[in-house]
Amino acid sequence: MSGAITAVASVAVSAYSAYSSKQAAGDQKDAAQKAREQAKQRTAAAEKQATAMEQQAVQAERAATQRSKASEERANRARQRSANASGSSSGARQMAKAGTGSTMLTGPQGVEQDKLNLGKKSLLGE
């Protein structure tokens, strides 16, 4: 009978060993599944964070562009120039004193004196 008891004990140990190895394999599967889910969650969180960072970069770039444009507009307003009427009129007076005046139509050399005479020597042209 001792052989029968040894055989039964051997079968029981084998059954327990199979059961425990099956249990361990199931536990490993569960652990692997949990690890995959955690990896997916980390990936999703990283993608969400990357998207948020990209949006912040775009907003920062827009804000910088707006600040630059506003600064340029302020500089342009500060730098506005007006016509120097007195300077241009004094220059024209000085040229008129020299004899011939110039306009944009005649250029800096002005009009020749003989072309100003209409052929008559009187003031009225007769």
Side-chain angles (χ1 to χ4, degrees), residues 59-109:
Q59 288 175 350
E61 186 177 341
R62 285 181 188 158
T65 303
Q66 288 175 349
R67 285 191 302 270
S68 173
K69 186 175 180 181
S71 174
E72 185 177 339
E73 287 175 1
R74 283 193 302 272
N76 286 343
R77 273 191 236 116
R79 197 173 359 147
Q80 280 183 342
R81 296 181 183 171
S82 58
N84 186 359
S86 63
S88 63
S89 65
S90 67
R93 280 191 214 116
Q94 288 177 357
M95 289 179 74
K97 287 179 185 177
T100 59
S102 75
T103 64
M104 289 175 54
L105 298 174
T106 61
Q109 69 275 3

Side-chain angles (χ1 to χ4, degrees), residues 37-54:
E37 288 175 7
Q38 288 175 350
K40 284 181 183 179
Q41 289 174 351
R42 283 193 299 267
T43 302
E47 288 175 356
K48 189 175 182 180
Q49 185 178 11
T51 302
M53 290 174 67
E54 287 175 7

